[in-house]
Amino acid sequence: MQRWTADNMAPQGMSQEDIEAWHAQLQEMGGQYQGLMQDLLARIAPSEAADSIQDDMRKSFEAGAQSLMNNPTLLWQTQTRLLQDQWLLWQQSMRAFSGEQVAPVITPSKSDRRFKDEAWTSDPHYTAIMQQYLLFSQMVEELIERLDGMDSTQKRNLEFYARQLVSAMSPTNFVSTNPEVVRRTLETRGQNLVEGLARLREDLANSAEGINVCMTERDAFDIGENIAVTPGAVVYENELIQLIQYTPTTEKTFKTPLLIVPPWINKYYILDLRQDNSMVKWMADQGHTVFLISWRNPDSEQRDITWADYMQMGPISAIGAIEQACGEKSVNLVSYCVGGTLTASTVAYLTSTRQGRKVKSVTYMATLQDFRDPGDIGVFLNEGVVKGLEQSMKLKGYLDGRSMAYTFNLLRENDLFWSFYINNYLKGEMPAAFDLLHWNTDGTNLPATTHAWYLRHMYLENRLVQPGGIELDGVKIDLRKVSTPSYFVSTKEDHIAKWNSTYYGALLPKGPVTFVLGGSGHIAGIVNPPQKNKYGYWSNDALPESHEEWLEQATFNEGSWWPHWQAWMTQNGYADSQKMVPARKPGEGKLSVIEPAPGRYVKVTISQLSGELS
């Protein structure tokens, strides 16, 4: 390895010209660094929610320390093992530095992509650094796992916070201990660090709390041009939604229209990214008349909109508009994530108000109805944090969607934060153009009243599963009274809507229920077009009392779950192949075309709403 001098931070053996070039780069870095410090000082006061999270973090570590003090044997055993491992590592490292081939003391897991560079295994210096870090990481994980005297919530929170700190300490995250960054810095004479600091400041300016790292080339995608391009038209709109009717691709379509209710935490076009993975287009190709709700990106003017308003101005208004467009009094509903939670509320409300026949069938994709185990996101949703969020949202009128995106990214911090941190800020590279990551960073704000109600009633109190636990527009709802046929699909590796919670939503309705478990996670397991032949899914006609028992009895099937859903729709007559009608085009019914799809609402960014440059 080349060595660095202490006085000029340039490699030894350089010419005078090279040294002058290095000095110029260091001056530029100094200017960027000063600007970064000014940017950070302007954000030094945390919000009420951030204060609450920091307080919860402190309490979690205090609880862990107290548990450890009560078990001195565990502390002694852990320290002894670490010393033994350190001694072995030192011996192995000395042998490696002398040129001997030695077996590593510890290796990263196959799923850990941080240490893929050859230098981590070929250079004894980097190998020792990596193993030192992995031993420390292993010690922390095993120590917390063996702590006693903590309730499950405390231990989950401590595990999460400790994991965040350990991930942040990875040698890959620092200039001098990442071999790729060292090589890049030498090759570019530090230009990578200059550009990285500039990108860090740009991303910081485009963030609410924390840092929303840029995950893809910002200008690579244009909604309606190269993503969200399935032909259609907006045929109805109100303050909260635009209703898109898609152009049919078959000569005849099923008589009952299909309405998609996507989440409003992100934009709908995850279901319509490209033509080869668009669920919207695939459903149209199967013969459905497809309608879809495009939610408004709200600001402070929508602060008082309630969950009931989302229901009335969302699915219920859309069902009424579809009747005008097609003349049909009922629809098949397909919903996703929080859109599914709203849809479950809506179907229960329609049932309680004797309007249940408006929905012929309902599909829930990766949807929480029973919030018994929200997963790691529950770390951010205890009473103190929710109160902090409520105070923060009360001041602004909404939760900035970039804060939500930052939180979700921390649930998979190495893949969704630190990898981009290294690429963008240390290596100074532009992220590649990737439509899925463009969607992931194109978030939406969340109205204060709706979001506060959702967090408290669903995550904190789990009231949706309680008979009469939720009241909407004066009507107490009960999911157990719903007789509408339901299709639930969850995903095995979902970290947002964990399937061991979503499964219990399928046990609630009294009507016929089918539950399917897809492979992969929250996005890839749902948006899984058949032609890709990926991931597979599990099916089981029975619905036993526990999710473990369901999986033990389930059958694994190759390929996508989409054809299984289509067969469920047609074989049960929810989409009746014997009652096909001529394909309906947008604007042919009583609703006129307002504008071409994808419409205005989906194009509004958070930066535009806040008056910032996007």
Side-chain angles (χ1 to χ4, degrees), residues 392-409:
S392 179
M393 288 189 290
K394 187 176 182 180
L395 292 173
K396 296 183 67 173
Y398 60 88
L399 175 65
D400 192 306
R402 295 170 296 189
S403 297
M404 177 69 75
Y406 177 66
T407 300
F408 278 127
N409 289 344

Side-chain angles (χ1 to χ4, degrees), residues 336-354:
Y336 191 10
C337 193
V338 68
T341 308
L342 177 71
T343 297
S345 307
T346 303
V347 174
Y349 173 85
L350 292 174
T351 299
S352 293
T353 55
R354 299 184 179 182

Side-chain angles (χ1 to χ4, degrees), residues 213-480:
V213 292
C214 181
M215 295 182 173
T216 185
E217 187 179 342
R218 295 186 189 278
D219 300 323
F221 299 100
D222 191 357
I223 297 174
E225 296 295 328
N226 55 358
I227 49 177
V229 294
T230 299
V234 176
V235 295
Y236 170 82
E237 66 181 33
N238 59 34
E239 180 188 358
L240 196 57
I241 73 165
Q242 286 193 314
L243 181 66
I244 299 172
Q245 180 180 356
Y246 287 95
T247 303
T249 60
T250 56
E251 290 186 4
K252 290 190 174 183
T253 59
F254 298 111
K255 189 171 185 291
T256 304
L258 185 147
L259 171 62
I260 301 175
V261 185
W264 58 85
I265 289 176
N266 284 92
K267 296 182 178 178
Y268 82 79
Y269 62 86
I270 187 60
L271 303 177
D272 187 32
L273 280 173
R274 302 183 310 275
Q275 291 297 278
D276 66 339
N277 68 352
S278 171
M279 181 178 283
V280 167
K281 182 180 184 301
W282 185 85
M283 288 177 166
D285 290 344
Q286 307 315 302
H288 295 280
T289 303
V290 180
F291 290 81
L292 178 143
I293 289 175
S294 174
W295 299 101
R296 180 177 190 151
N297 196 345
D299 58 18
S300 58
E301 292 184 6
Q302 284 75 46
R303 66 187 307 143
D304 295 324
I305 287 180
T306 66
W307 186 267
D309 292 331
Y310 263 85
M311 176 185 73
Q312 294 289 359
M313 290 193 283
I316 290 179
S317 290
I319 291 171
I322 290 170
E323 182 178 354
Q324 295 181 29
C326 299
E328 295 296 323
K329 295 183 181 296
S330 62
V331 300
N332 291 305
L333 285 176
V334 175
S335 57
Y336 191 10
C337 193
V338 68
T341 308
L342 177 71
T343 297
S345 307
T346 303
V347 174
Y349 173 85
L350 292 174
T351 299
S352 293
T353 55
R354 299 184 179 182
Q355 302 176 76
R357 291 185 179 180
K358 289 187 176 183
V359 182
K360 185 169 286 189
S361 75
V362 58
T363 298
Y364 300 107
M365 303 186 297
T367 294
L368 282 169
Q369 297 180 24
D370 189 324
F371 288 74
R372 64 176 64 188
D373 181 8
D376 281 347
I377 192 67
V379 173
F380 299 105
L381 294 174
N382 56 55
E383 180 65 33
V385 174
V386 169
K387 281 185 176 179
L389 283 169
E390 288 171 341
Q391 293 175 21
S392 179
M393 288 189 290
K394 187 176 182 180
L395 292 173
K396 296 183 67 173
Y398 60 88
L399 175 65
D400 192 306
R402 295 170 296 189
S403 297
M404 177 69 75
Y406 177 66
T407 300
F408 278 127
N409 289 344
L410 290 183
L411 302 182
R412 290 291 184 269
E413 71 280 359
N414 287 321
D415 291 333
L416 296 178
F417 182 81
W418 290 113
S419 63
F420 293 99
Y421 175 95
I422 295 164
N423 185 78
N424 297 5
Y425 309 146
L426 304 187
K427 295 165 72 174
E429 296 177 356
M430 284 291 294
F434 189 11
D435 53 1
L436 176 59
L437 292 179
H438 175 85
W439 167 84
N440 193 50
T441 56
D442 184 21
T444 57
N445 294 328
L446 305 168
T449 300
T450 301
H451 199 59
W453 186 94
Y454 170 59
L455 295 180
R456 185 163 292 283
H457 284 71
M458 305 298 183
Y459 278 98
L460 285 189
E461 301 173 3
N462 198 16
R463 294 176 63 176
L464 184 58
V465 298
Q466 302 169 20
I470 297 292
E471 183 176 314
L472 300 172
D473 286 344
V475 177
K476 293 183 181 296
I477 64 173
D478 186 352
L479 297 180
R480 290 167 176 77

